[in-house]
Amino acid sequence: MKPAISKIIPFDATAGYVFSFSYIGNQPYKNRIVIRNALTNEIIKDETISEMRFRHPISGNILTNGTSYTIQISVFDENNNESSLSDKILFTCYSTPTFNFSGLNNGTNYVKSSSYNATINYSQNENRKLQSYIFYLYDATYNELSNSGTIYNQTPTYIYSSLDNEQIYYLRCVGITVDSVEIDTGFVKIYTQYNSSNFSGIFKVKNNYKGGYVQCISNIVSIDGVATDSYTISNGVLQFNNSNTFVEYNEGLLIESGHKVGIKAKNFKTGLIWSETNKVDKILLYHYIYEGLDYFKLDVSNGLSHYILYSPRQKLTANQFYTIYITRQDSLFKITIQ
């Protein structure tokens, strides 16, 4: 019987490698490798080590990147009987590629927008090509929020969109070369910090050339409401003619996962100021004043759970507009005042 060498993924010769194999027979106590230059057949390394596991490590800088080799392995039993050499396996060493986010460092990177156009720097000394890659987005606790899906483009770029303000995110990109080598940027930390007093809209266009159509994607949802009484609009501001008037949204007013709603107003009344009731959730927003400071209470229930969130207390200036944002990610909500 002779060993069978496992598949060898191209590796960086400066880093070393562990060759693995399988063998059916007596328990091996030693194993031997014979590595030859594939072009000249010159023996580069003939080494025997004491090892009961089916593996044989070599140190870095023994082989040379950009060069192809063949390897054979044999094993020795406890009586020092050597098996036949395995079949030759061809492999090649290549330098580790450069693969990182352009313009981002290992510390905290500040993003001044709700979207970020990411570009990857990729290079490889022996000009081995990048085959595919996937961009990932994680929250502050490294939970995956989204990914780009597999992309087959030699220029790795991707737009991260709908990023909430004043949040920590981690960006990551994982690639595969044409030689099946996996490369990884690791987790790169960003912190969003931008002026979000107005809604920001992302409008993305994707050309589905195989289907002959263009797909348009936006993070803005338009809904219509009906006022219960008369009102006027002055300088873009909706003004009710009496305090009991309100706007009723019979359909479309739904905070879905990954979306947020903003209520922009001034001189908030005390008590219930906004509500959403649908087949799944009931969401209520209240405004209160305690010891001269304003705060908002968000009450969310869905039949299975019920929880309440409070905004920080602060003094709201009379006749000044404020926007109350309610953000939803899956079953989690967040309330912020801007």
Side-chain angles (χ1 to χ4, degrees):
M1 297 296 294
K2 58 185 178 181
I5 301 174
S6 303
K7 180 180 179 180
I8 302 173
I9 301 295
F11 60 92
D12 190 328
T14 65
Y17 190 76
V18 178
F19 297 97
S20 60
F21 60 92
S22 60
Y23 177 71
I24 299 176
N26 294 333
Q27 171 65 51
Y29 283 78
K30 296 188 294 185
N31 67 65
R32 172 192 176 202
I33 61 168
V34 179
I35 299 177
R36 298 174 182 267
N37 184 297
L39 184 62
T40 66
N41 208 37
E42 174 191 1
I43 294 179
I44 305 300
K45 190 172 186 65
D46 187 336
E47 178 183 65
T48 301
I49 63 171
S50 297
E51 176 64 81
M52 298 182 70
R53 292 173 294 178
F54 297 162
R55 62 196 293 275
H56 193 117
I58 62 169
S59 302
N61 299 311
I62 292 176
L63 307 178
T64 303
N65 286 324
T67 304
S68 295
Y69 301 91
T70 62
I71 182 173
Q72 292 176 286
I73 294 181
S74 64
V75 298
F76 297 79
D77 64 17
E78 61 181 335
N79 297 315
N80 211 36
N81 296 312
E82 183 179 7
S83 70
S84 301
L85 283 166
S86 67
D87 295 333
K88 289 183 178 180
I89 296 295
L90 179 69
F91 68 94
T92 306
C93 294
Y94 292 119
S95 305
T96 300
T98 296
F99 191 72
N100 53 48
F101 282 97
S102 177
L104 300 181
N105 56 48
N106 292 329
T108 300
N109 301 272
Y110 291 90
V111 173
K112 303 295 185 180
S113 173
S114 63
S115 64
Y116 180 73
N117 191 355
T119 302
I120 294 293
N121 294 320
Y122 174 80
S123 62
Q124 203 279 330
N125 288 344
E126 291 79 41
N127 296 315
R128 307 304 294 170
K129 300 297 183 181
L130 180 65
Q131 176 175 284
S132 64
Y133 49 90
I134 302 176
F135 285 91
Y136 294 91
L137 178 67
Y138 300 85
D139 65 14
T141 57
Y142 298 94
N143 293 311
E144 183 183 331
L145 299 177
S146 63
N147 68 72
S148 65
T150 304
I151 304 174
Y152 299 90
N153 189 325
Q154 285 300 310
T155 304
T157 60
Y158 181 70
I159 298 177
Y160 290 98
S161 60
S162 301
L163 302 175
D164 289 336
N165 196 19
E166 298 182 345
Q167 295 296 312
I168 293 174
Y169 293 99
Y170 288 94
L171 311 184
R172 182 187 180 202
C173 187
V174 177
I176 300 290
T177 71
V178 293
D179 303 301
S180 299
V181 176
E182 182 174 302
I183 46 182
D184 193 334
T185 62
F187 295 90
V188 178
K189 184 179 181 180
I190 66 169
Y191 182 75
T192 53
Q193 194 173 54
Y194 55 86
N195 183 358
S196 60
S197 58
N198 295 316
F199 284 109
S200 59
I202 302 300
F203 191 77
K204 296 193 293 184
V205 178
K206 180 180 180 181
N207 181 20
N208 292 277
Y209 61 93
K210 293 183 178 180
Y213 64 93
V214 175
Q215 180 182 15
C216 300
I217 303 172
S218 174
N219 67 343
I220 297 296
V221 177
S222 177
I223 56 176
D224 295 316
V226 178
T228 59
D229 204 339
S230 61
Y231 62 89
T232 59
I233 297 178
S234 176
N235 296 322
V237 178
L238 178 65
Q239 298 178 339
F240 298 124
N241 293 333
N242 68 71
S243 60
N244 294 321
T245 303
F246 60 91
V247 178
E248 184 176 32
Y249 296 89
N250 293 315
E251 58 183 54
L253 184 54
L254 175 64
I255 309 176
E256 298 180 332
S257 178
H259 287 72
K260 64 181 176 182
V261 63
I263 302 100
K264 185 175 183 179
K266 61 182 179 179
N267 302 328
F268 291 93
K269 72 175 186 177
T270 301
L272 180 65
I273 62 171
W274 185 86
S275 68
E276 174 202 316
T277 303
N278 54 69
K279 294 180 180 179
V280 179
D281 304 300
K282 182 176 183 180
I283 304 172
L284 305 174
L285 180 65
Y286 299 85
H287 168 247
Y288 296 111
I289 300 175
Y290 179 73
E291 295 183 346
L293 298 178
D294 300 82
Y295 69 95
F296 294 85
K297 170 186 171 182
L298 183 66
D299 186 314
V300 182
S301 59
N302 59 19
L304 297 176
S305 61
H306 182 203
Y307 64 94
I308 295 174
L309 300 174
Y310 292 96
S311 72
R313 287 190 291 161
Q314 65 184 81
K315 180 64 177 177
L316 301 184
T317 303
N319 298 317
Q320 178 176 324
F321 279 101
Y322 293 89
T323 304
I324 314 304
Y325 286 106
I326 302 172
T327 306
R328 179 173 190 170
Q329 186 64 49
D330 297 325
S331 60
L332 299 178
F333 291 80
K334 182 178 68 175
I335 178 172
T336 54
I337 307 172
Q338 294 179 355

